[in-house]
Amino acid sequence: KDGEPCDESTPQFEIGESPRADRLLKAEAAVLAAGGSVVRLAGLYHSQRGAHMYFMKTPSLASNADGLVNLIHYEDAAAACVDVLVTQFEGGTEGGEIFLATDGVPVSRKDMVECCLECDAYEGNMPEFTEEDGPLGKSMNNPKTREKLGWAPVHESFAEFVAAGAKDSFYPKRKKNPWT
């Protein structure tokens, strides 16, 4: 269902339902069987890379402008992964668990582009979203991950990140090496 909540306990695809999901589920099963923990990542972004950059440079997209995009900044995703490793190492979890790294604030495709276009850090255009129907996606949240790890993203949402100037360790773009 559109906008349906999704968290660490939401049932997943069964192996055989989706070839794309099968690769991930088989990899997760191997990690869990070995006593490791799995961190599922929402859509990754940073100041210079992510769906927002693609949307602003693409004139037309065969998708719904109101479709939800669940996100996590690269730096927050890395911190969540490190926190899972440390928590397991320190005995806070015995492994075999699934965690979800997301900021918990889904944004529509249209709203994502609009907030970028209002920020001086970005140039681009609003694409034409050509689909009016179709799935809007799920709304991810991660209460277990936050509680068990004591983790919360530094970038509370994509909109907050952009409104604060879209500055991170990836901004400004690194200059290419003139010697290569």
Side-chain angles (χ1 to χ4, degrees):
K1 295 176 186 171
D2 291 336
E4 180 179 338
C6 173
D7 64 20
E8 301 92 343
S9 66
T10 301
Q12 61 195 23
F13 283 103
E14 296 295 326
I15 292 182
E17 287 184 58
S18 164
R20 180 178 173 204
D22 285 356
R23 289 188 296 277
L24 292 173
L25 293 173
K26 288 176 183 177
E28 287 181 357
V31 169
L32 295 170
S37 294
V38 169
V39 182
R40 293 179 176 163
L41 304 176
L44 293 165
Y45 74 92
H46 64 68
S47 59
Q48 300 300 312
R49 183 169 286 194
H52 61 297
M53 300 300 286
Y54 175 73
F55 292 167
M56 290 188 300
K57 71 178 183 181
T58 305
S60 178
L61 293 166
S63 59
N64 188 325
D66 296 323
L68 297 177
V69 182
N70 293 280
L71 298 165
I72 185 77
H73 191 282
Y74 274 62
E75 294 164 351
D76 291 325
C81 292
V82 168
D83 285 355
V84 168
L85 291 170
V86 169
T87 300
Q88 188 168 347
F89 179 75
E90 293 177 345
T93 178
E94 294 181 19
E97 294 188 68
I98 295 174
F99 296 93
L100 178 60
T102 179
D103 64 20
V105 185
V107 62
S108 74
R109 292 176 182 102
K110 180 181 179 197
D111 289 345
M112 177 187 283
V113 175
E114 282 179 345
C115 72
C116 287
L117 295 176
E118 292 172 5
C119 177
D120 290 339
Y122 295 108
E123 294 178 4
N125 296 296
M126 177 67 72
E128 176 187 5
F129 294 99
T130 61
E131 299 293 321
E132 292 183 22
D133 297 322
L136 297 182
K138 295 187 179 198
S139 179
M140 291 183 175
N141 202 349
N142 51 358
K144 174 189 150 192
T145 299
R146 290 171 186 250
E147 181 179 333
K148 189 139 196 175
L149 303 177
W151 173 88
V154 171
H155 304 290
E156 295 178 11
S157 71
F158 178 79
E160 172 271 329
F161 169 74
V162 173
K167 293 194 167 69
D168 56 21
S169 60
F170 302 93
Y171 178 88
K173 283 186 176 180
R174 292 187 184 108
K175 294 182 180 179
K176 293 184 180 179
N177 184 341
W179 304 106
T180 58

